[in-house]
Amino acid sequence: MIVELFGPSGAGKTALAEALSARLGGRVVTLSTSAERYGYLFLFFLLNPVRAVGLVSKTIRSRTTPPSLFRHKLFLLSHVLARVSKAQMGGERVAVLDEGLAQYLLTVSERLLSLGEAESYFRRYVTSDVVVVVLADEEVRAERMKRRGRIPRGHLPVNQKEWQALMEQNARSASRALSSRPGAFTVESDEPPTELARRLAGSIRAHLPVA
């Protein structure tokens, strides 16, 4: 079973993914080396050529200036596809993704998404058994990013405040788009990740029993 978390920067995805994987007896999917990334990336293109080409095309059609932003998106896409491929082929009973194709929708989008656009993207590209939207208040997210000392796109010439606001709005749109999808959940990370993982694991087992 593949469980995928996504949401705006600082929402608490990584901490929740680790706590949730412990609850479900699984493992968070990571890539240890460049060789591993390129190997799983090759497998994704080999086994999912239509989806892979569609995602590259979507990236090209998105904002590609400055060139550093375009390169940044392609780099992130390569990581995402490799992680998804490893989750699908790694043999884990429960594989947890905190950066998958749901998250890439927020990464690649440079404008507000319509409900139809989000629904279409999830039908076409996101195949995880469980999809969890992780949300948090703007102040909470800003404080978390400050503590960890890492801000997505912080090295790029973009308006950080506008970018973060866009990610949050699109995450909430994505939550509405997933409202009728089996195995989709939305959580507000306003409590310790261990407690949130306990409740979320119970909901996941109720919908998709874990052996």
Side-chain angles (χ1 to χ4, degrees):
M1 179 172 73
I2 299 176
V3 179
E4 182 172 346
L5 283 66
F6 77 103
S9 305
K13 299 181 294 292
T14 300
L16 179 56
E18 292 170 350
L20 188 59
S21 65
R23 277 280 175 182
L24 295 174
R27 182 175 297 179
V28 178
V29 178
T30 60
L31 300 169
S32 302
T33 64
S34 295
E36 184 181 34
R37 174 165 65 95
Y38 286 123
Y40 278 114
L41 179 62
F42 172 78
L43 287 174
F44 190 96
F45 272 84
L46 181 66
L47 300 175
N48 307 277
V50 175
R51 291 169 67 209
V53 171
L55 286 160
V56 172
S57 176
K58 187 174 184 65
T59 304
I60 293 171
R61 292 196 308 272
S62 72
R63 177 183 170 190
T64 57
T65 55
S68 56
L69 177 58
F70 181 54
R71 291 193 297 270
H72 175 70
K73 289 181 179 180
L74 288 179
F75 176 77
L76 291 180
L77 180 60
S78 72
H79 272 269
V80 165
L81 296 185
R83 288 189 184 205
V84 171
S85 181
K86 184 175 181 178
Q88 293 172 338
M89 305 180 65
E92 294 290 339
R93 186 171 64 92
V94 179
V96 180
L97 287 165
D98 65 345
E99 286 188 32
L101 284 170
Q103 186 66 35
Y104 191 67
L105 174 62
L106 304 184
T107 298
V108 77
S109 300
E110 299 294 336
R111 58 177 176 79
L112 288 175
L113 294 168
S114 70
L115 187 63
E117 287 174 320
E119 289 174 339
S120 176
Y121 180 92
F122 282 107
R123 281 195 306 269
R124 185 173 182 182
Y125 296 116
V126 181
T127 60
S128 299
D129 303 289
V130 175
V131 181
V132 181
V133 190
V134 186
L135 302 173
D137 291 338
E138 181 181 356
E139 296 79 8
V140 173
R141 296 191 296 107
E143 179 59 29
R144 287 172 177 166
M145 286 188 284
K146 182 179 179 181
R147 285 202 308 267
R148 75 186 184 189
R150 180 173 59 84
I151 300 176
R153 294 195 181 185
H155 62 295
L156 297 171
V158 298
N159 186 310
Q160 188 63 220
K161 186 174 182 179
E162 290 181 1
W163 163 240
Q164 293 296 336
L166 178 66
M167 281 195 79
E168 181 171 6
Q169 289 174 291
N170 281 339
R172 294 187 183 276
S173 294
S175 175
R176 292 191 293 273
L178 289 167
S179 60
S180 61
R181 175 170 171 153
F185 305 91
T186 297
V187 298
E188 294 276 352
S189 61
D190 55 358
E191 57 186 306
T194 51
E195 177 59 24
L196 185 56
R198 182 187 66 79
R199 293 193 294 102
L200 184 56
S203 299
I204 290 173
R205 289 192 178 98
H207 284 77
L208 292 166
V210 180

